[in-house]
């Protein structure tokens, strides 16, 4: 497991955001750059997959499978991780086979994934698909689950001076990453999750159900930064992403991390954080969603 071991051992780049408005409010913000781990399979998905892959191998499976959409950070990470350790992989895609595969799915194919398209109805009846592939180790959508949480916990173990931070902020899809961060954080730290979905009333419960039994309760899930809903974006958000890149050289994606960083700026500028706060922002990588944009929307790729 060379890459898994490497990402656990090598310190991950930490990038301080330089903004006069932050300095004026005496708030310091560092970005933990999981996006810098790998050009395609960067980010939290590799961490979340680590223990599923180990489990599949220990149980003697030769294939792992999961589910996703055309621009799934999760599937491409699974294809990559499986190939790395010599497992076969299968990806079940919800929807029609498009005339031209998305670049993300092309990368999945390149990593040897067997891609199958299923109708929305069949996708919603996932259990039937699972039964047809009894010899496949199935990972839940997005890596959701306890093993995913344990993998996400390792994200904070890469940070050498964790105790200096008062707040840890992350983007939230299934909540697995947030649960891992809560599990790994110190009692004086507050974990703030920015939901990338609109009106997702169940995500908090889903997040809590993968937490370990003993954890602190100092966390907060914010729902007002969804920009219209999951994978939805506005010209304002795209403009923010370009400005952020120009000023801070930080690439973000339209689904998760742009909304997280937008929230960070908005919260700081509205004096949400006390003077002296030190924020650790988890850049969860995964830039695949940007590949769905028209060319030249972004000044980075
Ligand atoms: C999947 C993903 C998330 C959400 O992670 P969860 O553990 O499902 O909450 C956040 N950021 C990026 C870039 C992702 O790909």
């Amino acid at each position: 497991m060379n890459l898994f071991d490497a990402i656990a051992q090598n310190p991950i780049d930490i990038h301080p955001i330089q903004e006069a408005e932050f300095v004026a409010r005496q708030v310091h913000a560092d970005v933990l750059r999981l996006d810098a781990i790998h050009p395609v399979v960067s980010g939290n998905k590799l961490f979340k997959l680590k223990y599923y892959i180990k489990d599949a191998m220990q149980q003697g499976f030769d294939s792992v499978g999961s589910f996703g959409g055309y621009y799934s950070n999760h599937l491409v990470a699974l294809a990559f991780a499986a190939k790395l350790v010599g497992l076969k992989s299968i990806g079940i895609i919800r929807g029609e086979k498009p005339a031209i595969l998305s670049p993300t799915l092309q990368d999945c194919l390149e990593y040897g994934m067997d891609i199958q398209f299923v109708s929305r109805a069949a996708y919603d009846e996932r259990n039937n698909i699972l039964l047809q592939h009894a010899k496949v180790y199935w990972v839940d959508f997005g890596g959701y689950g306890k093993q995913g949480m344990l993998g996400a916990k390792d994200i904070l173990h890469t940070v050498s001076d964790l105790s200096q931070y008062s707040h840890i902020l992350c983007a939230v899809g299934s909540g697995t990453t947030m649960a891992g961060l809560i599990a790994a954080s110190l009692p004086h730290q507050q974990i703030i999750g920015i939901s990338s979905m609109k009106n997702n009333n169940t995500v908090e419960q889903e997040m809590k159900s993968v937490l370990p039994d003993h954890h602190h309760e100092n966390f907060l899930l914010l729902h007002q930064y969804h920009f219209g809903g999951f994978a939805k974006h506005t010209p304002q958000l795209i403009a923010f992403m370009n400005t952020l890149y120009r000023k801070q050289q930080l690439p973000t994606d339209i689904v998760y991390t742009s909304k997280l960083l937008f929230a960070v700026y908005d919260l700081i500028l509205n004096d949400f954080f006390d003077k002296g706060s030190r924020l650790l922002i988890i850049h969860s990588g995964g830039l695949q969603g940007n590949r769905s944009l028209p060319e030249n929307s972004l000044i980075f790729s």
Side-chain angles (χ1 to χ4, degrees):
M1 294 224 176
N2 24 32
L3 183 68
F4 288 142
D5 289 341
I7 59 177
Q9 277 160 22
N10 292 330
I12 294 169
D13 189 25
I14 289 184
H15 174 110
I17 298 184
Q18 316 277 3
E19 290 286 359
E21 289 105 324
F22 293 10
V23 175
R25 290 169 175 78
Q26 294 179 34
V27 173
H28 181 84
D30 278 343
V31 180
L32 181 66
R33 296 204 51 191
L34 305 185
D35 61 306
I37 294 172
H38 185 278
V40 177
V41 296
S42 70
N44 63 346
K45 295 300 186 291
L46 225 38
F47 281 91
K48 290 206 286 182
L49 285 170
K50 175 175 171 178
Y51 294 104
Y52 291 112
I53 297 271
K54 280 196 171 163
D55 192 30
M57 293 174 81
Q58 270 160 14
Q59 291 192 43
F61 283 88
D62 69 355
S63 290
V64 289
S66 194
F67 311 86
Y70 298 148
Y71 297 94
S72 170
N73 291 320
H74 168 62
L75 280 186
V76 78
L78 182 68
F80 179 88
K83 181 176 165 159
L84 199 69
V85 299
L87 292 174
K88 291 189 274 188
S89 66
I90 168 168
I92 308 288
I93 319 294
R94 180 171 184 261
E96 301 273 306
K97 181 173 182 187
I100 300 173
L101 286 189
S102 65
T104 307
L105 293 184
Q106 286 177 26
D107 282 334
C108 288
L109 284 180
E110 200 153 298
Y111 296 138
M113 180 170 261
D114 172 10
I115 300 228
Q116 300 185 9
F117 293 86
V118 301
S119 68
R120 274 149 210 272
Y123 188 92
D124 293 340
E125 290 293 324
R126 255 173 277 182
N127 282 343
N128 291 334
I129 302 176
L130 307 195
L131 290 175
Q132 286 159 24
H133 296 87
K135 298 213 173 97
V136 176
Y137 181 96
W138 289 103
V139 179
D140 207 343
F141 188 79
Y144 174 73
K146 283 246 157 132
Q147 314 243 43
M149 178 276 293
L150 290 176
K153 229 175 132 174
D154 286 349
I155 293 171
L156 288 190
H157 297 151
T158 68
V159 180
S160 55
D161 190 10
L162 184 63
S163 66
Q164 67 174 297
Y165 297 105
S166 53
H167 300 80
I168 298 169
L169 292 98
C170 68
V172 172
S174 70
T176 307
T177 302
M178 183 174 180
L181 297 174
I182 294 170
S185 63
L186 302 167
H188 70 275
Q189 296 173 329
Q190 182 177 40
I191 315 301
I192 302 177
I194 307 300
S195 176
S196 53
M197 289 162 295
K198 189 175 176 176
N199 304 333
N200 188 332
N201 307 318
T202 54
V203 66
E204 182 143 351
Q205 198 42 52
E206 281 154 16
M207 187 278 287
K208 285 181 181 160
S209 70
V210 294
L211 275 171
D213 292 341
H214 300 287
H215 59 86
H216 66 68
E217 295 285 344
N218 194 4
F219 57 80
L220 181 66
L221 202 51
L222 298 180
H223 294 275
Q224 68 270 41
Y225 296 105
H226 56 72
F227 286 84
F230 188 71
K232 297 268 174 29
H233 48 88
T234 62
Q236 182 201 17
L237 187 66
I238 302 282
F240 171 78
M241 290 166 76
N242 282 329
T243 304
L244 183 69
Y245 187 79
R246 201 162 38 238
K247 285 165 72 180
Q248 307 292 340
Q249 287 77 52
L250 276 177
T252 49
D253 79 295
I254 53 167
V255 185
Y256 296 107
T257 53
S258 58
K259 298 175 185 181
L260 167 65
L261 269 298
F262 187 96
V264 167
Y265 273 76
D266 192 58
L267 292 169
I268 293 177
L269 298 186
N270 285 295
D271 300 315
F272 178 89
F273 298 104
D274 290 340
K275 279 192 177 132
S277 293
R278 295 186 69 85
L279 319 186
L280 180 66
I281 299 148
I282 310 299
H283 190 316
S284 35
L287 302 170
Q288 295 300 316
N290 292 351
R291 294 169 112 175
S292 69
L293 291 174
E295 234 174 291
N296 301 325
S297 304
L298 297 170
I299 59 170
F300 58 93
S301 62

